Amino acid sequence: MPVIIKTENLSKIYGGKIKALEDLNIEIEEGEVYGLLGPNGAGKSTTINLLTTRITPTSGTALVGGFDIKKHSMDVRKVIGVVPQDLTTDEDLTGYENLMMVARFYDVPKNLANERIATLLRLVDLEEAASRYVKQYSGGMRKRLELIVGLVHDPKILFLDEPTLGLDVQTRTQMWEYVRDIQKKLNVTIILTSHYLEEVDALANRISIIDHGKILITGTPEGLKESLKGDIVQLTFKNQEDAETMKKFPEATEARDFGPNIVRVTVRNSDEVLPVLIKYVSENNLTIMRMTVQKPSLDEVFLQYTGRDIRQEDAGDVRKMMMNMRRMRR
Amino acid sequence: MSGLAPLTARELKKWYRNPVFLLTGLIQPFFWLALFGSAIDISKFLGGGAATSAAAGVIFQGASNYITFILGGILVITSLFTAMFSGVNIIFDRRLGPMGRFLTSPIRRSSIVFSKILSAMVRILVQVVILIAAAFVIPNGLVLEHGFSLLAGFVLVVTVILVALIFSSIFSVIAVRLKDMNTIFGIVNLVNLPLLFMSYAMFPPDIMASWLADAAKYNPVSWAAESIRTVVINGTVISSQVANVEWWMGSLAILAAGLVLLTYFVAEKEIRD
Ligand SMILES: Nc1ncnc2c1ncn2[C@@H]1O[C@H](COP(=O)(O)OP(=O)(O)O)[C@@H](O)[C@H]1O
Ligand SMILES: [Mg+2]
């Protein structure tokens, strides 16, 4: 498959010091659903904003749909569809009017625009609501409308920045269905960001984990899980001495510190290795305070590569989410 | 793919669908007309003996009542206010989200600003028509003693349009890079009263403090108010006023052209995230 997006040392530095994105080098192929996974402030929106020409890079560049984002931003804009993190529809217009206005931005002939709008509205079950003012929409309806506004000109590439941010769990899974439908029926390449693991796991066929403006690893969800080389046993000991002894466990394919008195041990197959591990612990007189076993999952991949639990990020996210919800309701 | 047409359509839809917007835009100038227009009773000057009477006739440029005198000023002020607020309106697109869509669409960035300027012009023309109608209707209202020629109509409409262009441009340029609502509305509040009272919109220069009258000479609001005033009072551009009207309107036109160009370049370059 031909490469449709290619970045070359793409970087964005805010105010001379905040490195929002550093030397991004990725290639995305036509037809892919590429997921950018990372906690808040990782640089996901910055990446999307750069690739969609909303902001300009501090250094480096990218080719999007064959066009340079710096030199030919207008051409880039014509071939991409964007669903930014924040809502963009005009509350004082109806759903249909919003769609038609954007179609006219691209000079889509009126008949064709009407045809496409009808198809898109059907795709996200908004036919009924199309003639209503957007201010009367629920949060979920508004997000669905945002999803199709970026598609009225039949773009080759669709960017979705946190498409389910602030939605409840049910609405989120519903959104995933819509995104899958869009990908299948409209044959677009999708670049999606999220800080929900389940989301990229469910939608993307290739994932990059991003943190502090840098990509830590890229691969398929399966490949990433496999890269963990087995199950992870996390043990908290009474003291660091015990922890050090644990790191010498012979069955471990990998063992490393994970905080004070905490060790993460990777083993091939926890079901078989656990009895051996227990024996090792009692022979060496180690005192375990806490122990968890994790089968490979994206959570574990994330933890492994960023050294942080992505779910901890959710606490700080609540305020942002509430704000977003409030905005959506208004 | 300039995007100017769909964006202007959007602005106008938002305007005529919002009853509050529409009403305040019309009621406010109507109040001005009715209240300010009644503030000074020229007949009291005119009735005060031959000398005062002649003096008042000169001061008020021969207007038969104060509403006739002040109409030009009210039209210009209405135009000024509508233009100012539509210029700074761009901040709402930033705040409420649509800007994010505009920035990634293949439209000219200046279209975002010019759609606001164009829609302001349409709104202002509607307001002008309604205000003139109202001026006729209210008691002791507008008197067109010498009729109203086609040329007078031309002067009135063009002047109003130039005022709209000048002030919506100035405030668009100010609002393009500002992200804080308080700053913008602070600026609007800071300048609107000086613009208004340091001009000949409400009062004739001869009864103003001389420093104020001197300062007002350089205010485009004065030029516009005086242009419209002379055609309203005299029914056309009378020969003694030809040079004045040419000077006022010429200055307004040059100013408007310069500001529109400036707006274009600033908008194309400076509308960013
Ligand atoms: N306009 C801006 N000015 C200054 N810093 C910014 C700006 N936008 C983003 N940042 C910073 O850049 C970093 C990456 O932000 P962002 O790309 O929005 O993260 P994400 O979308 O992954 O949550 C953060 O530290 C954020 O504070
Ligand atoms: Mg973001």
Side-chain angles (χ1 to χ4, degrees):
Chain A
M1 276 291 186
V3 171
I4 197 159
I5 292 177
K6 184 177 160 65
T7 71
E8 288 158 16
N9 298 323
L10 191 64
S11 307
K12 180 73 185 181
I13 299 170
Y14 282 109
K17 49 179 190 292
I18 303 166
K19 292 180 180 163
L21 190 67
E22 258 190 287
D23 291 327
L24 179 76
N25 285 295
I26 48 169
E27 282 190 8
I28 298 167
E29 286 176 4
E30 218 174 302
E32 269 197 287
V33 179
Y34 174 86
L36 207 51
L37 174 67
N40 273 318
K44 303 182 297 293
S45 295
T46 303
T47 308
I48 298 287
N49 289 344
L50 284 166
L51 294 178
T52 57
T53 76
R54 183 167 168 172
I55 57 177
T56 47
T58 309
S59 63
T61 190
L63 289 174
V64 174
F67 301 106
D68 188 301
I69 55 164
K70 277 189 350 205
K71 285 182 223 132
H72 301 113
S73 52
M74 272 295 182
D75 295 305
V76 172
R77 288 177 200 152
K78 285 177 203 166
V79 297
I80 60 169
V82 191
V83 183
Q85 183 172 321
D86 296 320
L87 302 170
T88 66
T89 42
D90 192 324
E91 298 184 332
D92 298 326
L93 301 183
T94 66
Y96 170 82
E97 284 168 341
N98 269 288
L99 290 161
M100 192 44 114
M101 177 179 75
V102 175
R104 289 179 68 192
F105 287 169
Y106 296 85
D107 287 342
V108 180
K110 194 151 188 191
N111 285 338
L112 182 62
N114 271 321
E115 241 172 69
R116 275 197 201 138
I117 289 171
T119 312
L120 290 169
L121 286 169
R122 214 175 311 121
L123 209 61
V124 294
D125 298 317
L126 279 180
E127 301 114 300
E128 309 268 292
S131 56
R132 275 198 272 150
Y133 289 120
V134 172
K135 58 176 156 247
Q136 299 165 355
Y137 283 23
S138 69
M141 287 162 77
R142 201 140 175 212
K143 274 283 187 184
R144 265 140 70 197
L145 179 64
E146 295 285 338
L147 195 60
I148 57 170
V149 171
L151 289 165
V152 285
H153 56 294
D154 198 17
K156 290 207 292 192
I157 310 166
L158 180 64
F159 292 91
L160 303 175
D161 194 3
E162 309 239 22
T164 65
L165 186 73
L167 296 182
D168 59 71
V169 178
Q170 273 177 348
T171 321
R172 255 166 71 194
T173 32
Q174 201 191 9
M175 279 293 272
W176 297 351
E177 281 311 312
Y178 291 128
V179 173
R180 284 201 195 101
D181 248 24
I182 284 168
Q183 207 268 334
K184 246 187 289 160
K185 291 186 181 147
L186 305 181
N187 194 25
V188 285
T189 307
I190 295 182
I191 290 87
L192 150 107
T193 80
S194 182
H195 69 276
Y196 299 120
L197 294 155
E198 311 85 274
E199 189 155 292
V200 282
D201 205 2
L203 295 175
N205 50 30
R206 211 155 57 92
I207 298 171
S208 288
I209 294 180
I210 184 171
D211 199 13
H212 300 302
K214 282 187 190 141
I215 295 227
L216 302 173
I217 186 157
T218 301
T220 61
E222 299 73 33
L224 289 180
K225 288 174 202 164
E226 269 169 33
S227 75
L228 291 179
K229 301 189 204 84
D231 305 350
I232 287 166
V233 186
Q234 183 171 322
L235 302 119
T236 310
F237 291 98
K238 193 148 193 154
N239 55 48
Q240 190 59 32
E241 208 177 307
D242 285 4
E244 292 303 326
T245 316
M246 189 67 228
K247 275 158 75 182
K248 299 192 188 98
F249 180 51
E251 298 284 325
T253 49
E254 202 192 324
R256 59 184 182 110
D257 286 322
F258 203 75
N261 308 345
I262 305 172
V263 175
R264 279 167 75 86
V265 177
T266 312
V267 296
R268 287 252 173 259
N269 183 344
S270 58
D271 297 349
E272 285 167 14
V273 176
L274 269 187
V276 187
L277 190 141
I278 301 291
K279 206 166 142 232
Y280 180 82
V281 165
S282 64
E283 275 170 5
N284 289 284
N285 261 332
L286 310 179
T287 315
I288 304 177
M289 311 298 291
R290 210 183 131 85
M291 174 170 154
T292 53
V293 180
Q294 300 279 350
K295 297 280 178 189
S297 71
L298 272 186
D299 288 79
E300 289 309 306
V301 176
F302 190 84
L303 207 57
Q304 187 78 12
Y305 287 103
T306 64
R308 285 188 286 158
D309 189 344
I310 198 169
R311 287 176 206 285
Q312 285 168 0
E313 304 291 325
D314 280 0
D317 204 30
V318 170
R319 197 186 56 89
K320 205 171 171 186
M321 191 176 92
M322 299 285 279
M323 278 175 60
N324 215 19
M325 295 287 276
R326 213 178 313 135
R327 264 192 60 192
M328 269 191 260
R329 255 185 255 121
R330 250 198 298 115
Chain B
M1 288 198 191
S2 81
L4 187 58
L7 283 172
T8 309
R10 159 180 179 256
E11 295 288 335
L12 289 174
K13 269 183 202 153
K14 284 166 76 105
W15 170 60
Y16 66 71
R17 278 185 192 159
N18 187 340
V20 179
F21 217 25
L22 197 64
L23 279 178
T24 51
L26 294 174
I27 288 177
Q28 191 200 30
F30 185 78
F31 275 154
W32 287 39
L33 193 63
L35 296 178
F36 269 109
S38 315
I40 295 177
D41 188 348
I42 299 184
S43 64
K44 286 189 180 150
F45 293 88
L46 296 175
T52 355
S53 190
V58 172
I59 290 172
F60 291 98
Q61 300 171 16
S64 29
N65 58 30
Y66 188 54
I67 287 200
T68 306
F69 175 82
I70 207 180
L71 179 68
I74 297 278
L75 295 183
V76 173
I77 290 161
T78 305
S79 175
L80 165 72
F81 276 30
T82 304
M84 265 194 328
F85 282 105
S86 66
V88 298
N89 191 270
I90 193 169
I91 191 129
F92 290 105
D93 286 346
R94 261 190 209 290
R95 276 296 174 101
L96 303 177
M99 186 61 83
R101 170 71 48 209
F102 302 157
L103 290 178
T104 55
S105 298
I107 56 173
R108 287 195 157 281
R109 303 216 159 168
S110 55
S111 298
I112 303 168
V113 171
F114 283 120
S115 70
K116 297 189 188 301
I117 295 179
L118 273 180
S119 72
M121 269 160 50
V122 174
R123 283 154 57 178
I124 288 164
L125 288 175
V126 171
Q127 286 173 330
V128 162
V129 169
I130 296 179
L131 274 172
I132 293 175
F136 272 118
V137 173
I138 56 177
N140 192 21
L142 177 62
V143 182
L144 294 177
E145 234 176 300
H146 307 281
F148 201 69
S149 71
L150 210 57
L151 178 64
F154 173 82
V155 168
L156 190 148
V157 170
V158 173
T159 303
V160 163
I161 287 178
L162 290 174
V163 170
L165 281 175
I166 289 170
F167 289 100
S168 50
S169 298
I170 292 178
F171 284 88
S172 306
V173 169
I174 293 175
V176 156
R177 289 302 290 157
L178 285 180
K179 288 181 181 160
D180 181 47
M181 237 176 250
N182 295 324
T183 316
I184 292 201
F185 287 105
I187 295 175
V188 168
N189 281 327
L190 188 70
V191 299
N192 62 14
L193 287 187
L195 269 176
L196 178 58
F197 286 103
M198 244 191 246
S199 81
Y200 306 150
M202 296 300 212
F203 310 109
D206 295 346
I207 65 166
M208 290 165 84
S210 52
W211 67 270
L212 195 60
D214 286 343
K217 234 184 278 178
Y218 304 99
N219 186 346
V221 173
S222 302
W223 309 339
E226 292 278 271
S227 296
I228 299 179
R229 181 167 296 143
T230 182
V231 296
V232 168
I233 293 174
N234 301 308
T236 187
V237 184
I238 52 172
S239 54
S240 64
Q241 290 288 343
V242 170
N244 279 341
V245 172
E246 274 177 5
W247 164 247
W248 290 324
M249 288 185 70
S251 309
L252 289 172
I254 291 168
L255 193 59
L259 284 167
V260 165
L261 269 177
L262 177 71
T263 306
Y264 174 82
F265 287 113
V266 170
E268 284 292 324
K269 227 174 101 65
E270 294 295 325
I271 295 188
R272 288 186 255 127
D273 207 28

